[in-house]
Short mmCIF file of all heavy atoms in Angstrom, two decimals:
data_model
loop_
_atom_site.label_atom_id
_atom_site.label_comp_id
_atom_site.label_asym_id
_atom_site.label_seq_id
_atom_site.Cartn_x
_atom_site.Cartn_y
_atom_site.Cartn_z
N PRO A 4 113.22 46.05 35.02
CA PRO A 4 114.60 45.88 34.57
C PRO A 4 114.73 44.56 33.84
O PRO A 4 114.04 43.59 34.14
CB PRO A 4 115.40 45.88 35.88
CG PRO A 4 114.42 45.56 36.95
CD PRO A 4 113.10 46.09 36.49
N ALA A 14 111.85 31.54 36.24
CA ALA A 14 111.24 30.98 37.45
C ALA A 14 109.90 30.33 37.16
O ALA A 14 109.57 29.27 37.69
CB ALA A 14 111.07 32.09 38.50
N SER A 99 127.65 13.19 45.44
CA SER A 99 128.12 12.35 46.54
C SER A 99 128.24 13.16 47.83
O SER A 99 127.92 14.35 47.86
CB SER A 99 129.46 11.73 46.17
OG SER A 99 130.44 12.76 46.01
N ALA A 156 141.51 35.58 22.76
CA ALA A 156 140.80 34.30 22.79
C ALA A 156 139.29 34.48 22.74
O ALA A 156 138.56 33.49 22.77
CB ALA A 156 141.19 33.54 24.05
N PHE A 278 116.14 52.27 27.24
CA PHE A 278 115.24 51.61 28.17
C PHE A 278 114.14 52.60 28.55
O PHE A 278 114.41 53.77 28.81
CB PHE A 278 115.99 51.17 29.44
CG PHE A 278 117.10 50.23 29.16
CD1 PHE A 278 118.41 50.69 29.07
CD2 PHE A 278 116.86 48.88 28.98
CE1 PHE A 278 119.45 49.83 28.80
CE2 PHE A 278 117.90 48.00 28.72
CZ PHE A 278 119.20 48.49 28.63
N MET A 307 133.55 61.85 39.33
CA MET A 307 132.74 61.38 38.22
C MET A 307 132.63 62.42 37.10
O MET A 307 132.37 62.06 35.95
CB MET A 307 131.35 60.98 38.71
CG MET A 307 131.34 59.77 39.64
SD MET A 307 132.15 58.30 38.95
CE MET A 307 131.14 57.99 37.51
#
Side-chain angles (χ1 to χ4, degrees):
S99 63
F278 301 98
M307 294 305 299

